[in-house]
């Protein structure tokens, strides 16, 4: 099976807390691509990051960081010092080569309370 | 530059009517994708185009769904004889190329309500 699991359906934290969103994937491909998207209340999916299976370096972009671990098939996303504007649904996705499609997890609804 | 645009933003239709949803990708993007998002099914892939060709239509939910792309640009998703279970947000995305998981940029979606 090729699928993505986001076990956390909803997370609620107070502003300035750090929060980690979990993503576990399954694939039989040796080359694959993982993504994170943000869907704010406005509804539009916003691309955050793309990672290929050959690059296990962690990435940091401002308050956002991603931890890719092939050994545990995980691609977790951490927001440091969360802000109210970070409130959104976050989706992890796996790109299926051949079928040329993104398979999405069920999403994690993140609420940052002031 | 302009992002992916979709029209209409909202569509309410009666059961049994046909609807057409339009997607205008980012200029220069050769790959175009349709997804739909519903409460029960989450985000599901429908079809992709490389240029004007759709190599695999198996993701379309039924034979009432069809899609085409002309001139390597605009795409239309048509749903015939709409049913209530077709109610969802239909999202279009485009990427520079269809190979190697190029990042897909999404449009704002068309919210379809079948009454």
């Amino acid at each position: 099976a090729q699928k993505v699991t986001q076990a956390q359906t909803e997370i609620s934290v107070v502003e300035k807390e750090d929060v980690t969103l979990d993503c576990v994937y399954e694939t039989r491909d040796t080359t694959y691509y993982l993504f994170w998207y943000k869907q704010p209340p406005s509804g539009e999916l916003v691309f955050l990051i793309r990672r290929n299976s050959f690059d296990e370096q962690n990435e940091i972009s401002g308050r956002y960081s991603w931890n890719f671990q092939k050994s545990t098939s995980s691609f977790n996303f951490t927001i440091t010092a969360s802000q109210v504007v970070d409130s959104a649904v976050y989706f992890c996705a796996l790109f299926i080569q051949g079928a040329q499609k993104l398979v999405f997890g069920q999403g994690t609804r993140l609420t940052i309370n002031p | 530059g302009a992002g992916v645009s979709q029209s209409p933003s909202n569509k309410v239709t009666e059961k049994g009517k046909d609807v057409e949803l339009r997607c205008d990708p980012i200029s220069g993007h050769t790959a175009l994708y349709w997804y739909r998002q519903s409460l029960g099914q989450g985000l599901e892939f429908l079809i992709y185009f490389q240029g004007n060709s759709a190599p695999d239509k198996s993701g379309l939910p039924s034979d009432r769904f069809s899609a085409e792309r002309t001139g390597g640009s605009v795409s239309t998703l048509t749903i015939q004889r709409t049913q209530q279970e077709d109610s969802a947000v239909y999202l279009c995305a485009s990427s520079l190329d269809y190979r190697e998981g190029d990042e897909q940029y999404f449009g704002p979606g068309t919210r379809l309500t079948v009454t």
Side-chain angles (χ1 to χ4, degrees):
Chain A
Q2 306 208 68
K3 69 176 187 178
V4 174
T5 302
Q6 295 179 255
Q8 304 150 308
T9 305
E10 293 192 33
I11 298 175
S12 181
V13 300
V14 177
E15 200 171 20
K16 298 184 184 177
E17 286 186 23
D18 299 347
V19 58
T20 295
L21 309 182
D22 297 334
C23 172
V24 174
Y25 61 91
E26 291 180 37
T27 180
R28 56 179 174 265
D29 295 337
T30 53
T31 301
Y32 51 91
Y33 302 86
L34 295 163
F35 297 79
W36 276 94
Y37 283 86
K38 173 182 180 179
Q39 189 173 42
S42 61
E44 192 158 339
L45 279 166
V46 177
F47 166 78
L48 295 178
I49 191 170
R50 167 184 180 265
R51 170 68 73 226
N52 75 53
S53 53
F54 297 112
D55 182 2
E56 284 195 75
Q57 282 192 13
N58 291 332
E59 178 147 344
I60 298 175
S61 175
R63 297 183 297 105
Y64 294 173
S65 62
W66 289 270
N67 185 328
F68 176 33
Q69 291 197 343
K70 289 177 74 171
S71 61
T72 55
S73 296
S74 65
F75 186 41
N76 297 336
F77 173 32
T78 296
I79 302 175
T80 303
S82 59
Q83 300 176 1
V84 173
V85 293
D86 296 326
S87 296
V89 181
Y90 290 85
F91 291 94
C92 181
L94 170 68
F95 182 75
I96 309 295
Q97 289 191 304
Q100 309 303 122
K101 67 181 183 181
L102 286 172
V103 171
F104 288 87
Q106 288 300 306
T108 297
R109 181 176 299 277
L110 176 64
T111 302
I112 311 297
N113 299 298
Chain B
V4 177
S5 61
Q6 292 185 246
S7 61
S9 55
N10 278 287
K11 177 72 177 179
V12 180
T13 190
E14 291 180 356
K15 177 181 171 181
K17 301 283 191 184
D18 298 352
V19 294
E20 280 190 358
L21 312 180
R22 176 189 166 106
C23 172
D24 212 329
I26 293 172
S27 177
H29 280 194
T30 61
L32 185 147
Y33 310 80
W34 284 98
Y35 296 82
R36 73 176 176 181
Q37 185 174 24
S38 59
L39 280 175
Q41 301 297 322
L43 271 157
E44 58 177 330
F45 169 82
L46 299 179
I47 193 169
Y48 89 97
F49 288 88
Q50 49 190 70
N52 292 332
S53 172
D56 183 0
K57 300 180 181 179
S58 63
L60 295 174
S62 77
D63 58 8
R64 296 183 297 102
F65 286 70
S66 63
E68 65 174 14
R69 188 180 186 195
T70 54
S73 182
V74 172
S75 175
T76 302
L77 178 69
T78 301
I79 309 173
Q80 295 179 309
R81 304 181 304 282
T82 51
Q83 303 294 312
Q84 288 187 329
E85 62 262 28
D86 299 334
S87 295
V89 177
Y90 288 81
L91 296 166
C92 176
S94 70
S95 66
L96 198 57
D97 197 276
Y98 66 94
R99 289 175 287 254
E100 297 193 355
D102 277 358
E103 47 264 44
Q104 297 179 21
Y105 295 93
F106 284 79
T110 293
R111 181 175 297 278
L112 175 66
T113 304
V114 182
T115 61

